[in-house]
Amino acid sequence: MRILHLSDTHLDRSGGPDADGADGTSALRRLLAELGHLPALDAVVVTGDVADDGSREAYARARELLTGYAGRRGANVFYTTGNHDDRAAFADVLGSGHVQPEAVYEGAAGERAGASTVAGWRLITLDTLVPGKGYGRLDGSQLDWLRELLVTPAPLGTVLAFHHPPVALDVDVQRALGLQNSTELAEAIRGTDVQLILCGHFHLQILARLEQAVVWVTPGVVSRIDLTARPGTERAVHGPSASLVDLGAPHGPLIHTLHARDPRMGETVYEADEEEMREVIERLGPSTASPN
């Protein structure tokens, strides 16, 4: 199974650059053009923040661009929600995030999760969105649904995909705005056939483990975070990126990043100082978060 893993496209209604000069539509078009020679894919997986403004126009544009790209390679596209997404608009345009799901979870707050079998692998997308916040959480009902699915192993194994990583680097904003109940997720997947977890949100690549599963965080399409900035600050730079995941490789999962050639590669999109980052954590993190 070969997956093109994208995240954080941040498309908006206008289809143009935002106040910082970041342009999700342009970045996605550039990335897909650069990946024109990428051979056979089984799936394209987009792990959240599909839209920046939660507009139906943004989801429709994402569907048009990605369905065209994936369809030419015989693949389907799978989507999850992120903290910038709007559940109602997402569902109106993208449904469950699966073309023909074998199982769908619909939560009381509008959460959407789905499961499909692709090339012998089970792909499960989860909804970690907490409306109005930057951090993520999986509620008990969704975790129960996941546990029930995982009772029966898939032919080759299971891949989970969702927005907020259950792991973080030693970075305050990542700890505050990642998945807040990763311990509960770890308990749900322990001893099951979950072998890989795909996430986004942090706009940079991270490799880690959660129980028996490899966790991969892909860099963003609209921008990536440059960790050479002074600790406590945040610098985002231009450069659309994605990941190619090969689960059929002898030493798989074999994962590598793909970077589009961009004349502004590495140029600053925005820089946030320590005070701004403390405000972000206070405003978008859980009520118990401390900016340290």
Side-chain angles (χ1 to χ4, degrees), residues 193-205:
D193 70 342
V194 175
Q195 297 182 34
L196 178 64
I197 298 173
L198 301 177
C199 300
H201 188 46
F202 290 159
H203 289 233
L204 48 77
Q205 61 263 40

Side-chain angles (χ1 to χ4, degrees), residues 122 147 150-151 153 158 187-195 212:
R122 178 169 51 197
R147 290 187 188 95
L150 296 178
V151 167
T158 294
E187 292 170 353
I189 70 168
R190 184 179 299 139
T192 69
D193 70 342
V194 175
Q195 297 182 34
Q212 74 284 346

Side-chain angles (χ1 to χ4, degrees), residues 34-54:
E34 289 286 279
L35 302 182
H37 297 297
L38 200 63
L41 293 172
D42 295 297
V44 176
V45 177
V46 188
T47 50
D49 282 0
V50 181
D52 190 63
D53 59 359

